[in-house]
Amino acid sequence: MQPQMVPSFYNHTDPQDMWYVLIGIPGLEDSHTWISIPICSMYIVAVVGNTFLIFLIMTECNLHEPMYLFLSMLALADVLLSTATAPKMLAIFWFRSMDISFGSCVSQMFFIHFIFVAESAILLAMAFDRYVAICYPLRYTTILTSSVIRKIGISAVIRSFIICFPFIFLVYRLTYCGRNTISHSYCEHMGIARLACDNINVNIIYGLAVALLSTGLDVVFIIVSYTMILLTVFRIPSWAARCKALSTCGSHICVILMFYAPAFFSFFVHRFGGKIIPHHIHILIANLYVVVPPMLNPIIYGVKTKQIQERVLLRFSPISTCC
């Protein structure tokens, strides 16, 4: 009896030698060129808009307030998130440059998750800022000092690093057998883990824990903050004062919905709804997620925030006020 040949598929592969193939949007390969046009346009608008917003806040002394300093952090995170994904995505769509080394793929994975968790913390900080401004207006400047804002920003970065750094070890500990095709336009944790030939339960559990105990808790605290804000606002006797208080939160609520809704949709579809939602729809939404919110955030704040509108007009007027 001749011994059975073991397919090369089961041969263990050194991660250092692996190259992955990112196929873009599966099922829509023929439309990659057309899909790339809006994605490229949105990426350019996101980078230009957020960079200008950061420059405006840093150079205009009238915008050196907690709300706008947090907004500059959000804009920086948006630039980094879109830049970590869009260039490679466009290279796949335009030049069919699908190959990526294991190390580069893991690096991209880390930065995507790191920036996402950090941005979630920044949105929570912005919700806290609105809570203090509306519920404790007389103590606003004493609670949110420059030192406190700096510590919040540093804490967001450190927390995100501590949460996301284990992802690197979780994918490096796995044994790979030669499978190297990722049905996505960029690398993320579960996309890499599913290429392994051994048990990935630890990866799944840790991914769920991160989603529920970090960003999930951020969402809970944001909801609590806005519940208390609404309770305070509706105790105000003046309708004009109520509208003014709510208008200061409107732009932030829009940004929160744009950030969390597609993120959690992608997360739960990736784990539980693969047979319900077509795969190409899931990947297309994941691609749009990394460029649409970063593009819209500066537009929303520019349209809904009077102080930013005034600073923009002054910036382009013959005489501007700078620090």
Side-chain angles (χ1 to χ4, degrees), residues 5 15 22 34 37 47 65 67 130 134 146 151 176 185 191 223 233 254 286 320:
M5 297 295 294
L22 295 166
W34 295 107
I37 296 173
V47 172
E65 299 178 8
M67 174 182 174
R130 292 300 84 202
I134 293 174
S146 299
K151 290 176 181 177
Y176 297 90
S185 302
I223 292 172
V233 166
C254 292
S320 60

PDB file of all heavy atoms in Angstrom, residues 5 15 22 34 37 47 65 67 130 134 146 151 176 185 191 223 233 254 286 320:
ATOM      1  N   MET A   5       0.225  10.952  -0.166  1.00  0.00           N
ATOM      2  CA  MET A   5       0.987  12.202  -0.243  1.00  0.00           C
ATOM      3  C   MET A   5       0.276  13.273   0.575  1.00  0.00           C
ATOM      4  O   MET A   5      -0.939  13.441   0.474  1.00  0.00           O
ATOM      5  CB  MET A   5       1.103  12.655  -1.702  1.00  0.00           C
ATOM      6  CG  MET A   5       1.864  11.675  -2.593  1.00  0.00           C
ATOM      7  SD  MET A   5       3.598  11.514  -2.108  1.00  0.00           S
ATOM      8  CE  MET A   5       4.161  13.160  -2.477  1.00  0.00           C
ATOM      9  N   PRO A  15       6.416  32.282   9.283  1.00  0.00           N
ATOM     10  CA  PRO A  15       5.767  33.566   9.000  1.00  0.00           C
ATOM     11  C   PRO A  15       6.706  34.591   8.366  1.00  0.00           C
ATOM     12  O   PRO A  15       6.283  35.416   7.556  1.00  0.00           O
ATOM     13  CB  PRO A  15       5.292  34.027  10.388  1.00  0.00           C
ATOM     14  CG  PRO A  15       5.136  32.781  11.177  1.00  0.00           C
ATOM     15  CD  PRO A  15       6.214  31.862  10.675  1.00  0.00           C
ATOM     16  N   LEU A  22      -3.643  40.235  -1.080  1.00  0.00           N
ATOM     17  CA  LEU A  22      -4.871  40.965  -0.778  1.00  0.00           C
ATOM     18  C   LEU A  22      -5.645  41.117  -2.081  1.00  0.00           C
ATOM     19  O   LEU A  22      -5.174  41.778  -3.010  1.00  0.00           O
ATOM     20  CB  LEU A  22      -4.551  42.339  -0.181  1.00  0.00           C
ATOM     21  CG  LEU A  22      -3.857  42.347   1.186  1.00  0.00           C
ATOM     22  CD1 LEU A  22      -3.291  43.732   1.495  1.00  0.00           C
ATOM     23  CD2 LEU A  22      -4.829  41.932   2.287  1.00  0.00           C
ATOM     24  N   TRP A  34     -13.338  51.547 -11.104  1.00  0.00           N
ATOM     25  CA  TRP A  34     -14.418  52.498 -10.848  1.00  0.00           C
ATOM     26  C   TRP A  34     -14.593  52.757  -9.356  1.00  0.00           C
ATOM     27  O   TRP A  34     -14.844  53.901  -8.942  1.00  0.00           O
ATOM     28  CB  TRP A  34     -15.727  51.970 -11.444  1.00  0.00           C
ATOM     29  CG  TRP A  34     -15.690  51.863 -12.929  1.00  0.00           C
ATOM     30  CD1 TRP A  34     -15.614  50.730 -13.681  1.00  0.00           C
ATOM     31  CD2 TRP A  34     -15.713  52.949 -13.867  1.00  0.00           C
ATOM     32  NE1 TRP A  34     -15.578  51.021 -15.017  1.00  0.00           N
ATOM     33  CE2 TRP A  34     -15.643  52.378 -15.162  1.00  0.00           C
ATOM     34  CE3 TRP A  34     -15.781  54.330 -13.732  1.00  0.00           C
ATOM     35  CZ2 TRP A  34     -15.647  53.161 -16.310  1.00  0.00           C
ATOM     36  CZ3 TRP A  34     -15.789  55.112 -14.884  1.00  0.00           C
ATOM     37  CH2 TRP A  34     -15.716  54.537 -16.155  1.00  0.00           C
ATOM     38  N   ILE A  37     -12.103  55.385  -7.831  1.00  0.00           N
ATOM     39  CA  ILE A  37     -12.254  56.830  -8.071  1.00  0.00           C
ATOM     40  C   ILE A  37     -12.876  57.542  -6.870  1.00  0.00           C
ATOM     41  O   ILE A  37     -12.300  58.512  -6.355  1.00  0.00           O
ATOM     42  CB  ILE A  37     -13.063  57.072  -9.366  1.00  0.00           C
ATOM     43  CG1 ILE A  37     -12.289  56.527 -10.574  1.00  0.00           C
ATOM     44  CG2 ILE A  37     -13.367  58.561  -9.530  1.00  0.00           C
ATOM     45  CD1 ILE A  37     -13.075  56.562 -11.873  1.00  0.00           C
ATOM     46  N   VAL A  47      -7.556  63.744   3.968  1.00  0.00           N
ATOM     47  CA  VAL A  47      -6.223  64.189   4.377  1.00  0.00           C
ATOM     48  C   VAL A  47      -6.133  65.715   4.367  1.00  0.00           C
ATOM     49  O   VAL A  47      -5.660  66.332   5.331  1.00  0.00           O
ATOM     50  CB  VAL A  47      -5.141  63.577   3.455  1.00  0.00           C
ATOM     51  CG1 VAL A  47      -3.779  64.192   3.742  1.00  0.00           C
ATOM     52  CG2 VAL A  47      -5.080  62.066   3.648  1.00  0.00           C
ATOM     53  N   GLU A  65      -9.264  75.679  22.994  1.00  0.00           N
ATOM     54  CA  GLU A  65     -10.197  75.268  24.030  1.00  0.00           C
ATOM     55  C   GLU A  65     -10.275  73.741  24.011  1.00  0.00           C
ATOM     56  O   GLU A  65      -9.958  73.113  22.995  1.00  0.00           O
ATOM     57  CB  GLU A  65     -11.579  75.885  23.790  1.00  0.00           C
ATOM     58  CG  GLU A  65     -11.586  77.404  23.818  1.00  0.00           C
ATOM     59  CD  GLU A  65     -12.965  77.969  23.516  1.00  0.00           C
ATOM     60  OE1 GLU A  65     -13.920  77.158  23.437  1.00  0.00           O
ATOM     61  OE2 GLU A  65     -13.081  79.185  23.351  1.00  0.00           O
ATOM     62  N   MET A  67     -12.618  71.538  23.649  1.00  0.00           N
ATOM     63  CA  MET A  67     -13.398  70.927  22.573  1.00  0.00           C
ATOM     64  C   MET A  67     -12.597  70.847  21.281  1.00  0.00           C
ATOM     65  O   MET A  67     -12.590  69.814  20.595  1.00  0.00           O
ATOM     66  CB  MET A  67     -14.684  71.732  22.342  1.00  0.00           C
ATOM     67  CG  MET A  67     -15.494  71.268  21.149  1.00  0.00           C
ATOM     68  SD  MET A  67     -16.956  72.302  20.912  1.00  0.00           S
ATOM     69  CE  MET A  67     -17.587  71.634  19.371  1.00  0.00           C
ATOM     70  N   ARG A 130     -18.312  67.653  26.467  1.00  0.00           N
ATOM     71  CA  ARG A 130     -19.655  68.237  26.335  1.00  0.00           C
ATOM     72  C   ARG A 130     -20.448  68.080  27.627  1.00  0.00           C
ATOM     73  O   ARG A 130     -21.226  68.955  27.993  1.00  0.00           O
ATOM     74  CB  ARG A 130     -20.407  67.566  25.182  1.00  0.00           C
ATOM     75  CG  ARG A 130     -19.858  67.859  23.793  1.00  0.00           C
ATOM     76  CD  ARG A 130     -19.890  69.351  23.451  1.00  0.00           C
ATOM     77  NE  ARG A 130     -18.727  70.054  23.978  1.00  0.00           N
ATOM     78  CZ  ARG A 130     -18.678  71.356  24.213  1.00  0.00           C
ATOM     79  NH1 ARG A 130     -19.762  72.085  24.042  1.00  0.00           N
ATOM     80  NH2 ARG A 130     -17.585  71.917  24.660  1.00  0.00           N
ATOM     81  N   ILE A 134     -21.880  71.410  29.648  1.00  0.00           N
ATOM     82  CA  ILE A 134     -23.311  71.651  29.790  1.00  0.00           C
ATOM     83  C   ILE A 134     -23.788  71.428  31.222  1.00  0.00           C
ATOM     84  O   ILE A 134     -24.621  72.180  31.735  1.00  0.00           O
ATOM     85  CB  ILE A 134     -24.094  70.760  28.806  1.00  0.00           C
ATOM     86  CG1 ILE A 134     -23.798  71.204  27.365  1.00  0.00           C
ATOM     87  CG2 ILE A 134     -25.593  70.804  29.081  1.00  0.00           C
ATOM     88  CD1 ILE A 134     -24.402  70.320  26.310  1.00  0.00           C
ATOM     89  N   SER A 146      -5.334  72.484  30.633  1.00  0.00           N
ATOM     90  CA  SER A 146      -4.389  72.018  29.611  1.00  0.00           C
ATOM     91  C   SER A 146      -3.686  70.740  30.053  1.00  0.00           C
ATOM     92  O   SER A 146      -3.449  69.819  29.259  1.00  0.00           O
ATOM     93  CB  SER A 146      -3.364  73.104  29.303  1.00  0.00           C
ATOM     94  OG  SER A 146      -3.994  74.255  28.795  1.00  0.00           O
ATOM     95  N   LYS A 151      -3.052  64.828  29.585  1.00  0.00           N
ATOM     96  CA  LYS A 151      -3.062  63.502  30.198  1.00  0.00           C
ATOM     97  C   LYS A 151      -4.098  62.592  29.540  1.00  0.00           C
ATOM     98  O   LYS A 151      -3.856  61.384  29.367  1.00  0.00           O
ATOM     99  CB  LYS A 151      -3.340  63.629  31.701  1.00  0.00           C
ATOM    100  CG  LYS A 151      -2.190  64.254  32.485  1.00  0.00           C
ATOM    101  CD  LYS A 151      -2.563  64.449  33.944  1.00  0.00           C
ATOM    102  CE  LYS A 151      -1.415  65.109  34.722  1.00  0.00           C
ATOM    103  NZ  LYS A 151      -1.786  65.373  36.134  1.00  0.00           N
ATOM    104  N   TYR A 176       1.264  28.452  10.442  1.00  0.00           N
ATOM    105  CA  TYR A 176       0.684  28.698   9.129  1.00  0.00           C
ATOM    106  C   TYR A 176       1.086  27.592   8.162  1.00  0.00           C
ATOM    107  O   TYR A 176       2.183  27.046   8.239  1.00  0.00           O
ATOM    108  CB  TYR A 176       1.131  30.068   8.605  1.00  0.00           C
ATOM    109  CG  TYR A 176       0.641  31.203   9.490  1.00  0.00           C
ATOM    110  CD1 TYR A 176       1.422  31.656  10.549  1.00  0.00           C
ATOM    111  CD2 TYR A 176      -0.604  31.780   9.285  1.00  0.00           C
ATOM    112  CE1 TYR A 176       0.968  32.677  11.373  1.00  0.00           C
ATOM    113  CE2 TYR A 176      -1.058  32.800  10.104  1.00  0.00           C
ATOM    114  CZ  TYR A 176      -0.269  33.239  11.150  1.00  0.00           C
ATOM    115  OH  TYR A 176      -0.719  34.246  11.968  1.00  0.00           O
ATOM    116  N   SER A 185      -9.081  44.221   1.404  1.00  0.00           N
ATOM    117  CA  SER A 185      -8.187  45.220   0.813  1.00  0.00           C
ATOM    118  C   SER A 185      -7.097  45.658   1.774  1.00  0.00           C
ATOM    119  O   SER A 185      -6.196  46.393   1.378  1.00  0.00           O
ATOM    120  CB  SER A 185      -8.990  46.444   0.360  1.00  0.00           C
ATOM    121  OG  SER A 185      -9.986  46.067  -0.559  1.00  0.00           O
ATOM    122  N   GLY A 191      -8.605  38.343   9.809  1.00  0.00           N
ATOM    123  CA  GLY A 191      -8.259  37.972   8.449  1.00  0.00           C
ATOM    124  C   GLY A 191      -6.956  37.207   8.392  1.00  0.00           C
ATOM    125  O   GLY A 191      -6.814  36.234   7.631  1.00  0.00           O
ATOM    126  N   ILE A 223     -23.037  56.991  25.866  1.00  0.00           N
ATOM    127  CA  ILE A 223     -24.489  57.023  26.021  1.00  0.00           C
ATOM    128  C   ILE A 223     -24.868  57.595  27.386  1.00  0.00           C
ATOM    129  O   ILE A 223     -25.795  58.417  27.498  1.00  0.00           O
ATOM    130  CB  ILE A 223     -25.074  55.610  25.839  1.00  0.00           C
ATOM    131  CG1 ILE A 223     -24.903  55.154  24.387  1.00  0.00           C
ATOM    132  CG2 ILE A 223     -26.546  55.572  26.236  1.00  0.00           C
ATOM    133  CD1 ILE A 223     -25.285  53.705  24.150  1.00  0.00           C
ATOM    134  N   VAL A 233     -30.277  69.409  29.950  1.00  0.00           N
ATOM    135  CA  VAL A 233     -30.782  70.366  28.953  1.00  0.00           C
ATOM    136  C   VAL A 233     -32.279  70.579  29.104  1.00  0.00           C
ATOM    137  O   VAL A 233     -32.768  71.719  29.046  1.00  0.00           O
ATOM    138  CB  VAL A 233     -30.443  69.876  27.529  1.00  0.00           C
ATOM    139  CG1 VAL A 233     -31.241  70.651  26.483  1.00  0.00           C
ATOM    140  CG2 VAL A 233     -28.958  70.024  27.261  1.00  0.00           C
ATOM    141  N   CYS A 254     -23.245  63.198  15.343  1.00  0.00           N
ATOM    142  CA  CYS A 254     -23.124  62.728  13.954  1.00  0.00           C
ATOM    143  C   CYS A 254     -21.830  61.954  13.751  1.00  0.00           C
ATOM    144  O   CYS A 254     -21.813  60.889  13.118  1.00  0.00           O
ATOM    145  CB  CYS A 254     -23.177  63.920  12.996  1.00  0.00           C
ATOM    146  SG  CYS A 254     -24.768  64.749  12.909  1.00  0.00           S
ATOM    147  N   ALA A 286     -16.367  47.975   4.697  1.00  0.00           N
ATOM    148  CA  ALA A 286     -15.129  48.114   5.462  1.00  0.00           C
ATOM    149  C   ALA A 286     -14.163  49.064   4.768  1.00  0.00           C
ATOM    150  O   ALA A 286     -13.453  49.835   5.426  1.00  0.00           O
ATOM    151  CB  ALA A 286     -14.478  46.739   5.647  1.00  0.00           C
ATOM    152  N   SER A 320      -5.795  88.352   9.486  1.00  0.00           N
ATOM    153  CA  SER A 320      -6.173  87.197  10.302  1.00  0.00           C
ATOM    154  C   SER A 320      -5.559  87.320  11.666  1.00  0.00           C
ATOM    155  O   SER A 320      -4.511  87.956  11.840  1.00  0.00           O
ATOM    156  CB  SER A 320      -5.748  85.887   9.648  1.00  0.00           C
ATOM    157  OG  SER A 320      -4.348  85.860   9.487  1.00  0.00           O
TER     158      SER A 320
END
